[in-house]
Amino acid sequence: MRRFLRPGHDPARERLKRDLFQFNKTVEHGFPHQPSALGYSPSLRILAIGTRSGAVKLYGAPGVEFMGLHRESNAVMQIHFLPGQCQLVTLLDDNSLHLWSLKVKGGVSELQEEESFTLRGPPGAAPSATQITVVLPHSSRELLYLGTESGNVFVVQLPGFHTLEDRTISSDAVLQWLPEEARHRRVFEMVEALQEHPRDPNQILIGYSRGLVVIWDLQSRRVRCHFLSSQQLENVSWQRDGCLIVTCHSDGSHCQWAVSSEPQQSKPLRSSIPYGPFPCKAITKIFWLTTKQGMPFTIFQGGMPRASYGDRHCISVVHNNQQTAFDFTSRVIDFTVLAEADPAAAFDDPYALVVLAEEELVVIDLQTAGWPVVQPPYLASLHCSAITCSHHISNIPLKLWERVAAAGSLQNVHFSSMEWPINGGTSLAPPPPQRDLLLTGHEDGTVRFWDASGVCLRLLYKLSTVRVFLTDTDPSENLHTQGEDEWPPLRKVGSFDPYSDDPRLGIQKIFLCKYSGYLAVAGTAGQVLVLELNDEAAEHAVEQVEADLLQDQEGYRWKGHERLAARAGPVSFEPGFQPFALVQCQPPAVVTSLALHSEWRLVAFGTSHGFGLFDHQQRRQVLVRCTLHPSDQLALEGPLSRVKSLKKSLRQSFRRMRRSRVSSRKRRPVGPPGEVQVASAKVERTGLQNMELAPVQRKIEARSAEDSFTGFVRTLYFADTYLRDSSRHCPSLWAGTNGGTVYAFSLRVPPAERRMDEPVRAEQAKEIQLMHRAPVVGILVLDGRSVPLPEPLEVAHDLSKSPDMQGSHQLLVVSEEQFKVFTLPKVSAKLKLKLTALEGSRVRRVGVAHFGSCRAEDYGEHHLAVLTNLGDIQVVSLPLLKPQVRYSCIRREDVSGIASCVFTKYGQGFYLISPSEFERFSLSTKWLVEPRCLVGSAKPKNHTRPSNGTGPEKALARARNSGNQSDGEESCSPVMEKALLSDARVLKEIQSTLEGDRG
Amino acid sequence: MNRGHRHGAGSGCLGTMEVKSKFGAEFRRFSLERSKPGKFEEFYGLLQHVHKIPNVDVLVGYADIHGDLLPINNDDNYHKAVSTANPLLRIFIQKKEEADYSAFGTDTLTKKKNVLTNVLRPDNHRKKPHIVISMPQDFRPVSSIIDVDILPETHRRVRLYKYGTEKPLGFYIRDGSSVRVTPHGLEKVPGIFISRLVPGGLAQSTGLLAVNDEVLEVNGIEVSGKSLDQVTDMMIANSRNLIITVRPANQRNNVVRNSRASGSSGQSTDNSLPGHPQPAEPSFEPEDEDSEEEDLIIEGDGAPRQIPRAAPPAESLESLAQVELSFESGHNGFLPSREASSAPVASGTNAELETRAPGHKLLEEDGTIITL
């Protein structure tokens, strides 16, 4: 039995494999899912975000990122940096404290958990006695003060978390220093605020929820003075000089109290309800910050009039006579204000407001008039509108990059010019080896262009396809409905907007040619737009063509959504990608595959009914082919009729939203936690029992031609190859369906000089039916050297060797179950690799990638990167189809993660780990983009507040260049040089093609 | 089978029909009037005539639309052969004394190709003469029990043959749990079970599979540790030639095969028992692995044909299967490379490309043999 012999070992190949392949999850891009806590270190200038799943993420200067994960996946409730140290303490919702440190190892900093601790009360005490509500790291760097629900303040010593019982400030101890009437009136309840005196480390302020605030002297262990307010206390801010405290309350008021030698203050200096007189919601947090010139800043969260604006998530900034209530589209988790870090400075002089909302991070420039928003270089909200597809393009020519960036910068004029203020640490990562774009399509009909070259995923440009269509809501309606003297002075900030006017606008497929600047975008209602990059604003009509994919199939009725109505007449477009042709599939089913050939000026598109070919030079339809099996009723009727109506789906999504809000409200565990667990375990058990009663069963049946959705077009591919005979190659179009059929059409594209005069012709040359009938997910032609054919225009731009047209070509067909190589032009089976029959896994994504060796500079191999439905990633060799490596990457239950995966051309990839985050991974030893950074030691950095006038670009550039490492630099520069050299030519090429286009 | 097929039927079936007959290494082509095929005796004589073998007793067979090699020995099956030929009738002639009866009726092209090699190079791969009890060519297996000699008696390995789409496989599987004997005593482990048989389906009509039988292997690959969906996908991917190893729920029908069995059969239910030899080697021949039907290609002129195999196939394909099987053992993600053992395809990519390049030529040579 030969096949059961132990496989032989080829040491040379094994070594080479080690030089080529390596699996790493390198960095998470985007905004953390379900953030639950915010921390900031003024001395380090580092921001920390905790999540409900127990992750802590640290961000400094662009490229400086760290992530830590608590062993328990409990929500992070609070994050506190230890003053002046590279350490932070987190409080989880199981009442445990964790100490994290940034330690330098091998030249780069790493985030590590050092110690964890749970506060224990005396035996028999209620659990609330030790339930921590507030944490105060003392400036002595050794002590943590822990306020609890019982009103006691416990003291622990760092770094070992030793409880110092003799220093506990019990509520009884506080009580005995209070006069009779205060003692009478107040029950202490929980500690709401703990603050250290800004100047005197021996004094701390303790605020209790019923409105009592005391200043406690740590040395003499007595109350120095106390303040009694009539309202429930929410939070406290202590003026920089320690002479004034500002309290905020549950009735929406805030009060100022003078700190003097007088032991008791019965009345506040000043008290106001900013959004009164009608009942207001609580002000939950307040900052009182002094400035050298003018009045102090008052910045507070909440306090909105309960009846009319109680549902808003607002933070108000009051300064001099300006007042603005920043209105966020999602719940505010926490906020902080960046101010003078030096404790000795006389004034706070705040310069930026940092707000962590449920779905995005917003930073507001407080130095510039009008308080504009600062564009963050990271933490982008990928899910401003839900992501529906993504597309990655590697190695973008500089010219195209600059044009896209220029178009994008025109969209960003409303952003502040302030340099990114959170800029601690130094990025040591080498500059990115090449310019990469990640394009995401969204539910609202937009396409976002992300700079995916480095660690920071940054928005370059946003394209909206909505203008082409007539939608229900006129965009001008909801703009600026509020006048000047409107009260409260609300201002919408942030980009998170999950509401889509029309789900049909959703983008499903994207294809960008990086050499010509042509872009094809296809959507949910069968719309296919062809766009080109234009640096000027323009107004023109979009040419419309209907593609009737049903052709001669008569008597069927589409029960799904209607097609989109296109705007008639000229439409004005801003600089950037401007649509010039629109193909609408009939029936308007979702576009399932798309291909663009910029050299031949052709766009191919497919739906569940068939596919078509469009000549975008002549704006003419070349070919339409129906792939439907006549008996396939389900595909004909459309998706919505069977699943749910639009109305229903809207209702459901609202319901889902409400549910998520309710669940997010839970702040502290209610009741003994044990009970809840028991209950949930019970539910689970009964669930299991039910499952056992009616087990899931699966039908075992061979696929047949009569199955549903066999006509669904899964992949489209253009190739210049030997389709008919081995002497002449010709352009060809390949289409693969869900039923395992591959169609091949030979194309006749007229030469450039007669391109406008003669029609493009297509003729079916071959039809291959795979007997196993599994869906075809990839088609590829290998040239005479068994190298995949280059992209269109790649050779023209000298970025690729021209394909070998001498030797015989081969066709690779990847189905969900097998890889098969056929000879061309006579289609004969040559090789195959079965995946499903042997492992039970199915191909979900496949892409060709070039793997460079980490040892030999110019050695590299082309292989297939494959993602299976089990979340495994494999590399399969070309052309021999030998499995090389396999790594488990995504949990098999994470269906949306697996569906969202994209591979790059250089062995990296992205997939969504949450609606708002891409995980970046690398299969290559050579191409690895990961954060490498150093965070300086305790001493405060001596850089001052950020200067205005330089944009975030400059900050980025500086950050990238600041930590050049010799080896990284060397290996990357040739690539950059080459790209630059070819750019002049690229530019000329692009210009000539564009001019030719207009002529 | 699909639209292409109908296409072909429309274009190629009128008037005369091409016949391609093969005896030994020789081909003969001639045509017949489709509407008037005549009698079998006449046809037999015609074949003897065109092959110039007037006094040799031969067996006549033809390839039907499913790729099965079926006999022609009377007027009825001769007419059937003529009426179903599409577009040409492929005839295979063997000397009676050398005839390999086992070739008839078994499925698929690959199997037949082995027959072909027998026919073409009889010295090369001759099998023992079979004892002919009845007319085996009149039968067509739909299922079989295989590997009885190497499996524990509590297990049963069943092979289901699927012809075209006439009859559904017709069964369902589910998750469940089974009790295994382990060194630590009895343990409950998850398993996959047959949950339902469709009346009239292949599985039910064979009588070899029953509800609650535990599925242990699919085409030689253990299912333990695999999810229901994975096993479903594996079975569907192998549906053209499905080999399932089951532990029947009803053990009473198992034949006690040796004397020792009476004592041990009750508990030797687990094939992963330490010390119990693992029956890991399914004895179905490697050829079976590829004995699925070939893909169809329709060229521009609309005539469907089956895709021939190019290049030296069987070995490299087998080697792939080996790599697949050894996946689990590859640690750290690296899969052991197979280059060393599949000698002709050498090591190092450059070498691979070089040796592969003349594949086209190989194809031409093979092509004349395979293309009928």
Side-chain angles (χ1 to χ4, degrees):
Chain A
M1 294 275 111
R2 223 178 51 249
R3 64 203 303 250
F4 293 103
L5 292 177
R6 270 198 67 76
H9 245 45
D10 177 4
R13 180 66 195 164
E14 289 303 309
R15 216 176 305 126
L16 189 56
K17 268 160 58 173
R18 254 169 268 269
D19 292 348
L20 293 172
F21 312 117
Q22 180 189 49
F23 182 72
N24 284 296
K25 291 188 184 178
T26 53
V27 59
E28 290 174 4
H29 295 302
F31 184 76
H33 188 50
Q34 297 186 316
S36 54
L38 174 75
Y40 180 73
S41 164
S43 59
L44 299 176
R45 287 177 172 249
I46 294 233
L47 181 81
I49 295 177
T51 72
R52 264 195 251 170
S53 55
V56 193
K57 295 182 160 202
L58 268 54
Y59 298 89
V64 176
E65 292 186 13
F66 300 94
M67 191 182 89
L69 207 55
H70 290 91
R71 269 183 292 277
E72 314 79 10
S73 55
N74 286 309
V76 180
M77 304 307 292
Q78 295 182 31
I79 302 177
H80 300 274
F81 281 90
L82 302 189
Q85 271 169 305
C86 291
Q87 283 186 315
L88 56 148
V89 169
T90 56
L91 170 68
L92 304 191
D93 70 352
D94 64 352
N95 204 35
S96 64
L97 287 166
H98 302 257
L99 177 67
W100 297 78
S101 292
L102 283 167
K103 289 226 164 122
V104 179
K105 259 191 195 164
V108 293
S109 299
E110 283 176 16
L111 183 64
Q112 284 176 345
E113 186 178 343
E114 301 262 296
E115 205 73 50
S116 66
F117 167 76
T118 305
L119 188 61
R120 303 252 172 258
S128 68
T130 51
Q131 184 71 43
I132 299 168
T133 53
V134 209
V135 178
L136 168 68
H138 194 253
S139 61
S140 67
R141 303 177 179 186
E142 282 173 354
L143 299 178
L144 274 188
Y145 290 88
L146 308 173
T148 61
E149 280 190 358
S150 62
N152 296 332
V153 177
F154 294 92
V155 188
V156 292
Q157 191 168 30
L158 288 175
F161 285 115
H162 297 296
T163 316
L164 304 176
E165 275 173 25
D166 53 325
R167 298 225 205 156
T168 302
I169 308 162
S170 68
S171 45
D172 295 334
V174 172
L175 204 62
Q176 60 177 312
W177 296 98
L178 294 185
E180 195 69 17
E181 86 268 16
R183 240 188 286 173
H184 264 324
R185 229 161 34 135
R186 299 287 154 191
V187 185
F188 277 75
E189 295 233 333
M190 65 172 81
V191 179
E192 282 284 1
L194 266 183
Q195 293 204 353
E196 185 180 329
H197 191 286
R199 307 273 180 204
D200 178 5
N202 282 324
Q203 291 181 41
I204 61 167
L205 173 152
I206 307 171
Y208 299 94
S209 59
R210 285 288 173 94
L212 173 71
V213 176
V214 300
I215 293 176
W216 179 261
D217 192 302
L218 293 170
Q219 299 246 281
S220 55
R221 296 186 58 78
R222 55 184 282 270
V223 172
R224 285 200 47 181
C225 52
H226 71 273
F227 315 90
L228 264 177
S229 81
S230 54
Q231 290 296 329
Q232 290 249 356
L233 182 75
E234 291 283 335
N235 216 320
V236 181
S237 178
W238 207 332
Q239 190 175 287
R240 200 173 185 86
D241 57 10
C243 298
L244 184 77
I245 61 170
V246 181
T247 56
C248 56
H249 302 277
S250 60
D251 65 339
S253 67
H254 59 77
C255 310
Q256 298 169 19
W257 312 79
V259 179
S260 59
S261 46
E262 196 75 22
Q264 182 183 351
Q265 303 275 326
S266 49
K267 279 245 156 56
L269 278 181
R270 210 170 290 114
S271 170
S272 78
I273 302 180
Y275 295 109
F278 298 111
C280 289
K281 298 197 81 174
I283 294 179
T284 49
K285 189 171 181 179
I286 192 162
F287 276 85
W288 173 267
L289 299 150
T290 56
T291 57
K292 199 178 285 164
Q293 290 120 7
M295 300 276 288
F297 271 91
T298 316
I299 301 175
F300 58 89
Q301 174 184 356
M304 300 309 284
R306 186 178 292 277
S308 39
Y309 297 96
D311 56 344
R312 304 297 180 99
H313 316 289
C314 287
I315 289 181
S316 304
V317 179
V318 187
H319 177 57
N320 292 344
N321 40 26
Q322 287 179 61
Q323 179 163 358
T324 300
F326 292 103
D327 184 8
F328 296 87
T329 52
S330 56
R331 199 167 60 93
V332 172
I333 305 294
D334 199 0
F335 73 102
T336 189
V337 181
L338 310 191
E340 182 56 60
D342 181 5
F347 298 98
D348 291 305
D349 284 332
Y351 53 90
L353 167 66
V354 179
V355 182
L356 177 67
E358 179 99 43
E359 307 289 356
E360 61 191 326
L361 181 82
V362 179
V363 175
I364 292 162
D365 174 3
L366 295 179
Q367 283 183 313
T368 308
W371 298 328
V373 173
V374 186
Q375 191 181 18
Y378 43 66
L379 284 165
S381 281
L382 298 170
H383 61 319
C384 296
S385 165
I387 294 180
T388 42
C389 67
S390 36
H391 178 68
H392 185 273
I393 314 105
S394 303
N395 213 357
I396 305 284
L398 180 63
K399 188 62 202 172
L400 179 73
W401 186 269
E402 284 176 343
R403 293 176 69 194
V404 172
S409 66
L410 293 174
Q411 298 176 326
N412 293 340
V413 283
H414 58 283
F415 283 114
S416 162
S417 57
M418 177 190 263
E419 238 180 82
W420 182 243
I422 302 163
N423 53 6
T426 326
S427 172
L428 304 177
Q434 55 184 26
R435 289 169 296 269
D436 289 353
L437 270 182
L438 181 65
L439 273 54
T440 52
H442 298 263
E443 201 181 18
D444 63 352
T446 58
V447 178
R448 286 174 167 81
F449 288 59
W450 304 93
D451 172 1
S453 323
V455 171
C456 295
L457 194 72
R458 198 167 53 94
L459 183 66
L460 272 186
Y461 166 72
K462 179 179 135 185
L463 162 72
S464 175
T465 62
V466 180
R467 303 185 71 85
V468 180
F469 304 101
L470 288 165
T471 50
D472 297 345
T473 49
D474 200 358
S476 59
E477 256 174 38
N478 43 18
L479 277 180
H480 301 294
T481 43
Q482 290 181 336
E484 274 292 301
D485 49 353
E486 207 54 51
W487 189 260
L490 290 173
R491 203 175 102 197
K492 272 251 181 287
V493 280
S495 55
F496 179 71
D497 177 16
Y499 305 102
S500 169
D501 295 338
D502 189 336
R504 293 177 300 166
L505 292 168
I507 306 293
Q508 298 292 337
K509 294 286 164 193
I510 306 171
F511 205 110
L512 171 68
C513 171
K514 60 184 177 184
Y515 303 108
S516 63
Y518 280 112
L519 172 70
V521 164
T524 307
Q527 74 270 34
V528 180
L529 279 168
V530 193
L531 307 95
E532 68 183 319
L533 189 53
N534 186 352
D535 301 328
E536 307 291 331
E539 186 165 344
H540 59 255
V542 177
E543 197 126 351
Q544 294 176 42
V545 177
E546 186 185 298
D548 178 18
L549 294 173
L550 281 186
Q551 295 263 286
D552 40 358
Q553 309 262 7
E554 288 296 322
Y556 293 121
R557 209 157 61 84
W558 168 256
K559 296 180 189 157
H561 49 229
E562 282 175 37
R563 71 175 196 188
L564 285 161
R567 240 174 244 279
V571 184
S572 65
F573 296 103
E574 55 179 19
F577 286 93
Q578 298 173 347
F580 62 87
L582 166 66
V583 181
Q584 290 198 288
C585 298
Q586 200 59 29
V590 52
V591 176
T592 54
S593 57
L594 182 71
L596 169 82
H597 199 293
S598 43
E599 202 173 338
W600 304 336
R601 307 287 165 87
L602 296 173
V603 173
F605 49 90
T607 71
S608 48
H609 302 99
F611 59 94
L613 182 64
F614 179 72
D615 173 359
H616 68 76
Q617 176 90 26
Q618 294 186 23
R619 321 265 157 101
R620 243 171 43 87
Q621 191 168 291
V622 178
L623 157 77
V624 178
R625 176 75 151 91
C626 179
T627 53
L628 267 188
H629 194 278
S631 65
D632 193 354
Q633 277 293 333
L634 288 182
L636 281 159
E637 290 177 355
L640 288 176
S641 63
R642 285 176 302 116
V643 185
K644 52 192 169 184
S645 70
L646 172 60
K647 233 186 228 165
K648 216 174 184 178
S649 79
L650 272 177
R651 209 180 304 140
Q652 279 176 352
S653 55
F654 273 118
R655 226 172 263 155
R656 216 174 302 135
M657 250 165 34
R658 214 174 305 144
R659 220 177 300 139
S660 75
R661 265 195 213 139
V662 169
S663 62
S664 66
R665 284 267 164 72
K666 104 171 179 189
R667 199 177 141 198
R668 287 173 193 125
V670 189
E675 232 165 67
V676 181
Q677 274 168 12
V678 167
S680 70
K682 206 169 172 185
V683 168
E684 247 167 55
R685 218 176 308 126
T686 50
L688 271 175
Q689 274 163 359
N690 287 341
M691 243 167 57
E692 269 165 29
L693 285 176
V696 192
Q697 53 177 3
R698 296 271 182 274
K699 188 179 180 180
I700 306 298
E701 205 48 71
R703 290 197 186 80
S704 86
E706 278 79 42
D707 287 351
S708 280
F709 297 107
T710 51
F712 198 112
V713 178
R714 291 290 292 268
T715 182
L716 289 162
Y717 178 66
F718 285 109
D720 186 2
T721 187
Y722 300 92
L723 185 58
R724 287 186 179 283
D725 57 67
S726 49
S727 56
R728 265 181 317 117
H729 58 93
C730 66
S732 62
L733 169 66
W734 299 77
T737 71
N738 229 22
T741 313
V742 176
Y743 302 92
F745 285 76
S746 68
L747 307 177
R748 213 194 66 81
V749 183
E753 62 274 17
R754 297 197 300 277
R755 184 64 180 79
M756 278 310 278
D757 309 329
E758 296 176 18
V760 176
R761 288 186 204 286
E763 197 182 338
Q764 178 156 355
K766 283 181 169 48
E767 181 178 327
I768 303 171
Q769 175 61 53
L770 301 176
M771 255 343 194
H772 63 284
R773 295 188 184 277
V776 176
V777 292
I779 298 175
L780 184 69
V781 172
L782 307 176
D783 73 3
R785 289 184 294 259
S786 294
V787 174
L789 292 184
E791 288 171 53
L793 294 179
E794 200 172 15
V795 176
H797 290 88
D798 270 352
L799 290 166
S800 164
K801 274 195 280 187
S802 45
D804 178 52
M805 302 307 268
Q806 306 304 318
S808 60
H809 283 195
Q810 298 171 64
L811 170 71
L812 170 70
V813 177
V814 182
S815 78
E816 285 191 359
E817 296 187 351
Q818 301 186 359
F819 301 78
K820 273 192 131 154
V821 173
F822 300 93
T823 59
L824 281 176
K826 196 167 135 52
V827 177
S828 312
K830 197 171 173 188
L831 273 178
K832 73 177 161 196
L833 169 63
K834 288 185 183 180
L835 196 70
T836 315
L838 294 162
E839 288 182 50
S841 59
R842 306 162 65 83
V843 178
R844 277 279 172 269
R845 276 275 182 283
V846 63
V848 179
H850 181 267
F851 292 92
S853 165
C854 61
R855 271 171 211 277
E857 185 62 40
D858 49 357
Y859 183 77
E861 298 176 1
H862 285 279
H863 293 304
L864 293 176
V866 180
L867 172 76
T868 71
N869 65 334
L870 305 181
D872 287 342
I873 291 193
Q874 310 195 8
V875 174
V876 173
S877 78
L878 282 178
L880 291 181
L881 302 182
K882 289 188 185 293
Q884 302 289 306
V885 285
R886 178 161 80 170
Y887 310 100
S888 58
C889 177
I890 312 176
R891 281 182 310 115
R892 70 172 67 168
E893 298 81 18
D894 186 2
V895 179
S896 60
I898 291 172
S900 66
C901 178
V902 284
F903 288 114
T904 79
K905 290 260 181 310
Y906 293 91
Q908 300 202 5
F910 300 86
Y911 67 91
L912 288 172
I913 47 175
S914 71
S916 57
E917 287 167 289
F918 272 116
E919 173 81 61
R920 187 187 193 113
F921 62 88
S922 174
L923 293 166
S924 164
T925 51
K926 190 165 176 176
W927 305 91
L928 201 64
V929 172
E930 61 182 344
R932 287 174 61 83
C933 34
L934 192 62
V935 172
S937 59
K939 82 169 168 16
K941 293 189 150 192
N942 53 2
H943 50 205
T944 51
R945 57 193 50 253
S947 60
N948 276 7
T950 46
E953 270 85 358
K954 198 181 158 195
L956 263 179
R958 204 184 55 192
R960 279 186 190 163
N961 296 336
S962 56
N964 283 344
Q965 276 203 324
S966 52
D967 55 347
E969 180 94 293
E970 267 161 32
S971 67
C972 303
S973 53
V975 182
M976 285 304 249
E977 246 168 54
K978 192 174 174 207
L980 288 170
L981 273 177
S982 61
D983 275 327
R985 225 171 320 158
V986 174
L987 169 62
K988 243 184 236 165
E989 189 84 25
I990 291 169
Q991 271 176 346
S992 70
T993 50
L994 289 177
E995 276 158 20
D997 213 22
R998 290 197 190 96
Chain B
M1 292 209 232
N2 61 2
R3 79 183 61 237
H5 207 91
R6 281 180 274 126
H7 236 267
S11 67
C13 284
L14 299 170
T16 57
M17 172 191 56
E18 203 187 343
V19 181
K20 198 167 173 187
S21 165
K22 182 192 283 178
F23 174 68
E26 288 185 40
F27 291 99
R28 293 287 184 275
R29 284 172 183 271
F30 55 93
S31 60
L32 274 182
E33 197 78 346
R34 190 183 282 272
S35 50
K36 292 180 279 183
K39 290 203 176 304
F40 171 68
E41 277 87 351
E42 297 165 31
F43 181 66
Y44 187 81
L46 182 63
L47 289 176
Q48 287 182 319
H49 174 71
V50 298
H51 282 283
K52 300 199 175 73
I53 41 168
N55 296 316
V56 184
D57 275 341
V58 293
L59 276 182
V60 182
Y62 77 100
D64 82 343
I65 53 164
H66 303 304
D68 296 344
L69 183 60
L70 298 178
I72 303 182
N73 47 19
N74 56 39
D75 286 354
D76 285 346
N77 52 25
Y78 170 54
H79 289 150
K80 174 79 174 166
V82 170
S83 61
T84 56
N86 189 10
L88 93 174
L89 178 61
R90 299 182 296 176
I91 298 290
F92 302 91
I93 303 172
Q94 290 173 271
K95 279 190 188 160
K96 231 173 198 157
E97 58 265 38
E98 293 174 6
D100 181 1
Y101 287 91
S102 69
F104 284 116
T106 48
D107 61 337
T108 78
L109 205 64
T110 336
K111 187 73 182 181
K112 186 179 76 258
K113 215 164 42 198
N114 298 325
V115 175
L116 276 188
T117 37
N118 291 346
V119 174
L120 295 175
R121 308 184 196 87
D123 49 334
N124 180 12
H125 198 76
R126 186 173 301 177
K127 285 189 178 168
K128 281 179 281 179
H130 285 254
I131 304 154
V132 185
I133 297 170
S134 68
M135 290 283 278
Q137 56 266 42
D138 295 341
F139 303 121
R140 190 181 68 164
V142 290
S143 66
S144 51
I145 299 188
I146 57 174
D147 296 340
V148 181
D149 47 344
I150 54 169
L151 284 178
E153 63 241 30
T154 53
H155 296 182
R156 181 185 296 164
R157 188 167 285 161
V158 177
R159 180 168 175 178
L160 297 177
Y161 302 77
K162 178 114 171 75
Y163 298 97
T165 51
E166 303 154 25
K167 215 168 198 185
L169 284 171
F171 67 99
Y172 290 71
I173 57 172
R174 63 167 171 88
D175 276 318
S177 60
S178 80
V179 178
R180 294 288 163 96
V181 185
T182 68
H184 318 292
L186 294 178
E187 245 174 50
K188 225 177 172 190
V189 293
I192 304 284
F193 295 84
I194 293 178
S195 62
R196 185 153 95 82
L197 297 179
V198 179
L202 197 56
Q204 193 218 36
S205 42
T206 66
L208 299 176
L209 298 171
V211 172
N212 293 334
D213 286 2
E214 183 180 2
V215 177
L216 303 172
E217 288 175 357
V218 175
N219 287 52
I221 293 165
E222 272 195 66
V223 303
S224 76
K226 291 193 160 66
S227 69
L228 182 65
D229 287 333
Q230 260 178 293
V231 177
T232 306
D233 285 341
M234 281 169 71
M235 286 188 173
I236 290 174
N238 286 304
S239 57
R240 305 266 152 188
N241 174 34
L242 184 59
I243 300 164
I244 324 176
T245 312
V246 293
R247 184 169 58 187
N250 182 355
Q251 293 282 344
R252 270 176 299 173
N253 290 346
N254 281 339
V255 184
V256 176
R257 289 196 304 262
N258 56 31
S259 51
R260 168 193 78 88
S262 55
S264 64
S265 65
Q267 45 109 343
S268 71
T269 52
D270 179 23
N271 61 1
S272 61
L273 246 179
H276 195 289
Q278 168 83 335
E281 9 164 15
S283 74
F284 48 92
E285 301 91 73
E287 289 85 13
D288 291 342
E289 185 63 34
D290 290 307
S291 63
E292 68 186 48
E293 288 165 59
E294 290 303 324
D295 307 329
L296 270 182
I297 170 123
I298 304 172
E299 297 284 351
D301 55 11
R305 67 175 171 92
Q306 279 168 340
I307 296 180
R309 174 155 312 151
E315 195 202 20
S316 54
L317 293 179
E318 278 321 298
S319 65
L320 287 172
Q322 271 184 8
V323 175
E324 290 291 340
L325 286 173
S326 59
F327 250 178
E328 308 298 341
S329 62
H331 50 86
N332 199 18
F334 283 89
L335 304 178
S337 104
R338 270 280 309 159
E339 270 84 340
S341 55
S342 60
V345 266
S347 60
T349 20
N350 289 337
E352 279 172 5
L353 299 186
E354 235 75 75
T355 50
R356 191 51 59 154
H360 190 64
K361 217 181 144 213
L362 276 170
L363 152 75
E364 303 272 86
E365 289 168 13
D366 266 11
T368 52
I369 300 170
I370 297 170
T371 320
L372 302 171

